[in-house]
Amino acid sequence: MAAPVTRQVSGCAGRVPSPTGSDTERGQPLAAAVAELPVLDASGRRVTFGALFRERRAVVVFVRHFLCYVCKEYVEDLAKIPKSVLQEADVTLIVIGQSSYHHIEPFCKLTGYSHEIYVDPEREIYKRLGMKRGEEISSSGQSPHIKSNLLSGSLQSLWRAVTGPLFDFQGDPAQQGGTLILGPGNNIHFVHRDRNRLDHKPINSVLQLVGVQPVNFLSRPAVIHV
């Protein structure tokens, strides 16, 4: 079994410091065993993780679970990114959850998300990428993407749980997510592992790394031309 990827990588997407300290054009490699792990689409079809970014760069966002109000509101803002600006930059946007695939379609309807989305129900990719479990107490600052407070957000999540067709948590509530920039091939250009539910990476800072114009999330989806 390959060891988890545990090094935090940052910087521009084109050139990434290697573990030895020298720069490499191809970036830090993702273990082939991790790339071969399966994810499921909304119909339950198995797709290898590495196939999602084999041909082009991808921003891959791992969310905590689909009932998490923070994840819901973060994905609502991901949904505002125009497909045209991603296509222009030759970048794919992918969300990965850890529920049953049956929850994908309702979650997309709830959030308005229409980009690629898959699930890793066994959390095997989460584990192999070193995603954290449990909440670290740290100051993550005010997220530009979260509108609800803890009380109202938690009540919304509870209501969705009890009124949904399947009463479950739609994933492990202790699991944290993260954001990666991957591809083409098994190249890792950027890794951010969330320390707690509010520690996600601001979306525009990730878009900047892949050469996509920032998006105005305060109103209807619009690209900010700079």
Side-chain angles (χ1 to χ4, degrees):
M1 178 179 294
V5 177
T6 56
R7 196 168 66 90
Q8 197 89 340
V9 182
S10 61
C12 67
R15 297 178 64 85
V16 181
S18 71
T20 60
S22 62
D23 283 348
T24 174
E25 286 288 338
R26 292 185 55 79
Q28 182 181 353
L30 179 71
V34 178
E36 290 300 316
L37 290 171
V39 292
L40 305 180
D41 67 11
S43 63
R45 183 175 64 96
R46 292 165 65 95
V47 183
T48 59
F49 180 51
L52 305 182
F53 43 85
R54 183 174 296 140
E55 303 297 332
R56 60 183 56 85
R57 286 179 302 165
V59 174
V60 184
V61 178
F62 288 81
V63 297
R64 294 181 63 240
H65 56 87
F66 289 160
L67 275 183
C68 170
Y69 75 91
V70 172
C71 301
K72 169 186 170 290
E73 296 181 5
Y74 189 79
V75 172
E76 284 175 338
D77 276 0
L78 289 176
K80 297 176 183 177
I81 302 172
K83 290 185 178 181
S84 58
V85 300
L86 295 173
Q87 291 168 352
E88 184 179 339
D90 198 24
V91 171
T92 303
L93 175 61
I94 301 167
V95 165
I96 295 181
Q98 39 127 357
S99 72
S100 162
Y101 71 88
H102 297 95
H103 292 297
I104 291 179
E105 186 175 346
F107 184 72
C108 289
K109 288 181 178 178
L110 178 70
T111 59
Y113 181 85
S114 61
H115 302 282
E116 292 188 39
I117 183 168
Y118 304 89
V119 291
D120 172 23
E122 303 300 322
R123 297 185 293 111
E124 192 60 33
I125 300 173
Y126 283 78
K127 297 170 188 174
R128 299 286 284 274
L129 291 177
M131 300 295 177
K132 301 179 183 299
R133 289 190 75 254
E135 300 240 14
E136 287 186 21
I137 299 175
S138 62
S139 176
S140 301
Q142 181 65 37
S143 169
H145 306 293
I146 308 307
K147 299 86 181 172
S148 303
N149 59 37
L150 178 60
L151 177 60
S152 66
S154 299
L155 289 174
Q156 291 172 38
S157 296
L158 179 60
W159 177 252
R160 286 197 288 128
V162 300
T163 58
L166 298 173
F167 182 55
D168 61 24
F169 286 105
Q170 302 186 23
D172 179 358
Q175 180 66 59
Q176 302 300 321
T179 300
L180 295 87
I181 299 172
L182 303 166
N186 290 348
N187 294 323
I188 302 177
H189 303 290
F190 174 84
V191 179
H192 172 82
R193 295 176 186 83
D194 300 345
R195 295 169 293 176
N196 55 59
R197 69 189 67 190
L198 294 174
D199 190 41
H200 48 252
K201 196 71 175 170
I203 296 170
N204 276 333
S205 67
V206 178
L207 294 180
Q208 183 181 22
L209 293 177
V210 292
V212 174
Q213 293 282 351
V215 173
N216 180 5
F217 295 108
L218 298 179
S219 58
R220 63 193 180 110
V223 175
I224 303 172
H225 294 286
V226 294

